[in-house]
Amino acid sequence: MTLEQLRIFVAVAEREHVTRAASALGLTQSAVSSAIAALEARHDARLFDRVGRHIELTASGRLFLDEARAVLARAHAAELMLGELGTLSRGTLNIHASQTIASYWLPARLVRFREAWPKIEVHLAAGNTETVARAVLEGSADIGFAEGAVRVPALSSTEVGSDHLVLVVGASHALAKRRRVGVTELASAQWVVREPGSGTRSEMEAALAALKLPIHARDIALELPSNEAVRTAVEAGAGVAGMSELVAAPGLRAGTLRRLDIEMPRRPFLALRHRERRLGKAAEALLALCSKSIAARTPKKK
């Protein structure tokens, strides 16, 4: 069994499609099919079921997928160690970040990282807090960035920044001209929310619960998969939404959004790492850069 066979198997398993996996890997379809067939034949185990034009993982395939990912993560860690011994003259850095951080907070820091270490190849993937934590846990991310609490025992977290949540409505919404909005009005309003697993959604629900607003009784008009989709829907008059002030800022400046006068909490931005994996030098350097920026903004005690 080779690492190349494992990479091919994982690529096919994640896409459930041989042709798409071959395209992603830069291989021919026949090479991918041969690698899968060799694995199945050598170990007398059927990893996929062929259903019409599609393939599906068997029970054995699902079990093997976890092990294959773990082996590839360890191989990647070993490659990082060898590539980064001594200096940061070359290497790769795989980052997963939640949407708010990936779109509004992290890019400026990556620019400074790139200026300091131009030979490090950086790959950034955006998701929600749940998918970021899973990527760090599985080893597909060297380091992750997420907002709010991440309760995964195998992961450690370091605060590297923060923002504030705000409640907003579109400029034409009935609540837009109200100087004060109470819990009763919020409870009866229609809401636009992010998908389950989103850090913005979980942090907002915790904040609303603290205001004694019955979050499970809310009238959710739309559940959308991105910050920008939520903001656009609210600007169009779909309802009330809670979002990062970083996300709301363009709409507030343009006058297409109105901020409701309700105090919402600060939330931390966290860097996530696996407790049992060595953090590569590139990830260490990025973490130090981000930690330095938060230290520079923290007022000194007199």
Side-chain angles (χ1 to χ4, degrees), residues 141-220:
D142 301 315
I143 190 168
F145 293 91
E147 65 264 6
V150 177
R151 298 177 179 85
V152 180
L155 303 182
S156 65
S157 61
T158 303
E159 184 173 342
V160 292
S162 66
D163 73 345
H164 281 82
L165 296 171
V166 294
L167 289 178
V168 295
V169 294
S172 62
H173 194 278
L175 297 179
K177 295 179 174 57
R178 295 282 300 274
R179 293 190 61 187
R180 295 283 182 181
V181 177
V183 173
T184 302
E185 288 91 344
L186 291 178
S188 60
Q190 289 190 321
W191 286 76
V192 182
V193 301
R194 283 282 305 278
E195 78 287 358
S198 158
T200 294
R201 177 166 176 164
S202 61
E203 290 290 304
M204 181 56 63
E205 288 181 346
L208 295 177
L211 293 173
K212 309 301 183 186
L213 190 150
I215 58 173
H216 297 298
R218 285 183 302 167
D219 182 2
I220 296 179

Side-chain angles (χ1 to χ4, degrees), residues 1 38-45:
M1 185 184 300
L39 272 178
E40 291 181 323
R42 179 174 178 82
H43 301 283
D44 193 24

Side-chain angles (χ1 to χ4, degrees), residues 56-77:
E56 297 175 353
L57 280 169
T58 63
S60 298
R62 285 191 292 273
L63 290 172
F64 184 54
L65 179 59
D66 291 337
E67 296 299 324
R69 281 173 169 160
V71 170
L72 290 175
R74 290 301 303 153
H76 177 62

Side-chain angles (χ1 to χ4, degrees), residues 8-25 29 32-33 36 48 53-57:
I8 291 171
F9 166 73
V10 170
V12 174
E14 289 177 343
R15 293 164 179 80
E16 294 190 333
H17 201 283
V18 172
T19 303
R20 290 173 191 158
S23 177
L25 294 169
Q29 182 176 338
V32 170
S33 297
I36 297 298
F48 296 96
R53 295 185 178 181
H54 302 283
I55 59 173
E56 297 175 353
L57 280 169

Side-chain angles (χ1 to χ4, degrees), residues 52-126:
R53 295 185 178 181
H54 302 283
I55 59 173
E56 297 175 353
L57 280 169
T58 63
S60 298
R62 285 191 292 273
L63 290 172
F64 184 54
L65 179 59
D66 291 337
E67 296 299 324
R69 281 173 169 160
V71 170
L72 290 175
R74 290 301 303 153
H76 177 62
E79 184 179 13
L80 278 178
M81 179 178 288
L82 288 176
E84 296 178 354
L85 284 176
T87 67
L88 282 169
S89 59
R90 67 182 181 88
T92 60
L93 178 59
N94 293 312
I95 307 165
H96 283 234
S98 59
Q99 289 187 23
T100 302
I101 293 174
S103 298
Y104 298 92
W105 183 85
L106 190 56
R109 288 154 181 85
L110 291 181
V111 170
R112 295 205 296 274
F113 179 88
R114 179 73 175 172
E115 290 171 348
W117 298 285
K119 296 298 181 69
I120 302 298
E121 187 176 343
V122 176
H123 301 281
L124 173 62

